[in-house]
Amino acid sequence: MCGAPKQGGALAGIDLSTQTVIQGSVWHDGAPVAGAYVRLLDSTDEFTAEVVTSPEGEFRFFAAPGDWKLRSLAPVGRAERVLSAEVGLNETTLAIA
């Protein structure tokens, strides 16, 4: 089970000077995608974690600094993005074409 806090909402109580947070949203045709699976893969494509997007299409992971791949899976399609996360807040959007 994932130890991440509930998706969405503020990061109150999270020390962004010591934590690496990767968060964002999944979109398709100009609308957020609720219930999409978002996977966090390391630099070798090894599965690390998975969360389900909130009703607003939001997701959040707590990870180590480094290179990560995000992959969303939803009935409407898939999206993928590579990012280099640093300590602090790292925000991104996954757009399903």
Side-chain angles (χ1 to χ4, degrees):
M1 177 175 279
C2 179
K6 183 179 179 194
Q7 304 301 297
L11 288 168
I14 304 300
D15 183 356
L16 292 176
S17 69
T18 62
Q19 299 290 316
T20 302
V21 179
I22 300 170
Q23 74 176 24
S25 55
V26 178
W27 288 77
H28 175 67
D29 284 343
V33 180
Y37 292 92
V38 180
R39 293 181 178 166
L40 183 67
L41 308 168
D42 70 13
S43 60
T44 65
D45 276 349
E46 185 73 27
F47 175 86
T48 303
E50 181 175 80
V51 295
V52 178
T53 57
S54 70
E56 296 79 27
E58 299 170 332
F59 63 89
R60 179 179 299 144
F61 294 102
F62 288 79
D67 295 329
W68 295 96
K69 183 183 290 182
L70 296 164
R71 181 178 294 152
S72 66
L73 307 165
V76 294
R78 302 171 129 195
E80 195 169 280
R81 178 174 297 262
V82 175
L83 66 92
S84 291
E86 299 177 354
V87 172
L89 181 59
N90 300 267
E91 295 187 280
T92 190
T93 299
L94 293 167
I96 297 174

